[in-house]
Amino acid sequence: MSSKLIAPSILAADFANLQHDIEMVNSSDADWFHIDIMDGVFVPNISFGMPVLKAISAHAKKLIDVHLMIVDPNRYIKTFANLGANVLTVHYEACTHLHRTLQAIKSEGMQAGVALNPHTNISLLEDTINDIDLVCLMSVNPGFGGQSFIENTYSKVHQLKALIDKKGASTKIEIDGGVTNKNAKQLVDAGADILVAGSYVFNSNNPTETIKDLKTIVNS
Ligand code: DX5
Ligand code: ZN
């Protein structure tokens, strides 16, 4: 079984000490940096934008996983490639021409991700799953860190895993929102490959240890 990944969400980091938190992730057992970009339109919150990502990229030594919670993400695909994104995830609900968007992301040399809101059915990916490198299942409504995990997510992971297997796809499953040591094991057992964790990591007394614990839990 391939190793399961932990992606700390920088949304929950200390923005006045970003370099400190980036270095913490660099030297931890974490695998990826998860970067949440919100536009105040697709979601009712604004996080941070390009200059901040540029500053993060300058210090980050691990893969950069960018989660775009913005309308019409096509406008910025090249921009995020230039800023160092390795995975670029767009929302299903924000893309009129999802297939075209996926091709555009890949043509910039990035892995293409699709995020699904909690209300969006897995079956809507039937015709694109073979073109998707990563599906990000939102286990909270996007827009804010620190929300509680939606239990229906387990069922969605099972359904998504079944679709991936049925279609012979190599798509990875990422879970985003409310991830803790309480649900991590059940999520990977259901088929998840990557767990995003924001407040659970950064609000803990020892984020390095918390990441280590999560990494141990998901690979045990
Ligand atoms: C929510 C973001 C998440 C968020 C997760 O809209 O997409 O990545 O940072 O934060 P926690 O782990 O605190 O739920
Ligand atoms: Zn996210």
Side-chain angles (χ1 to χ4, degrees), residues 5-11 32-36 65 67 134 136-139 149 173-180 183-184 187 192-201 214:
L5 309 182
I6 300 298
S9 173
I10 298 305
L11 185 65
W32 292 4
F33 285 89
H34 184 83
I35 307 292
D36 291 303
D65 170 35
H67 176 194
L134 173 151
C136 174
L137 289 181
M138 292 308 303
S139 38
F149 180 82
I173 301 175
E174 178 178 70
I175 309 298
D176 188 8
V179 169
T180 68
N183 50 29
L187 285 167
D193 301 291
I194 304 125
L195 302 185
V196 174
S199 45
Y200 182 66
V201 166
L214 278 176

Side-chain angles (χ1 to χ4, degrees), residues 37-46 67-73 75 90-95 115-117 119-120 138 141-143:
I37 307 286
M38 305 177 184
D39 67 354
V41 179
F42 181 71
V43 288
N45 195 12
I46 298 174
H67 176 194
L68 295 183
M69 284 160 273
I70 67 173
V71 295
D72 197 6
R75 295 170 293 167
V90 295
H91 265 264
Y92 178 89
E93 303 84 5
C95 294
L116 299 186
N117 279 340
H119 74 273
T120 303
M138 292 308 303
N141 284 294

Side-chain angles (χ1 to χ4, degrees), residues 20-85:
H20 170 273
D21 284 354
I22 303 298
E23 301 291 2
M24 182 280 292
V25 174
N26 280 339
S27 58
S28 77
D29 287 347
D31 300 282
W32 292 4
F33 285 89
H34 184 83
I35 307 292
D36 291 303
I37 307 286
M38 305 177 184
D39 67 354
V41 179
F42 181 71
V43 288
N45 195 12
I46 298 174
S47 54
F48 51 80
M50 287 77 172
V52 175
L53 177 52
K54 189 175 176 193
I56 293 170
S57 286
H59 299 286
K61 296 200 174 74
K62 296 179 175 178
L63 181 147
I64 297 181
D65 170 35
V66 174
H67 176 194
L68 295 183
M69 284 160 273
I70 67 173
V71 295
D72 197 6
N74 295 289
R75 295 170 293 167
Y76 299 114
I77 292 172
K78 206 180 257 299
T79 304
F80 282 101
N82 291 338
L83 286 166

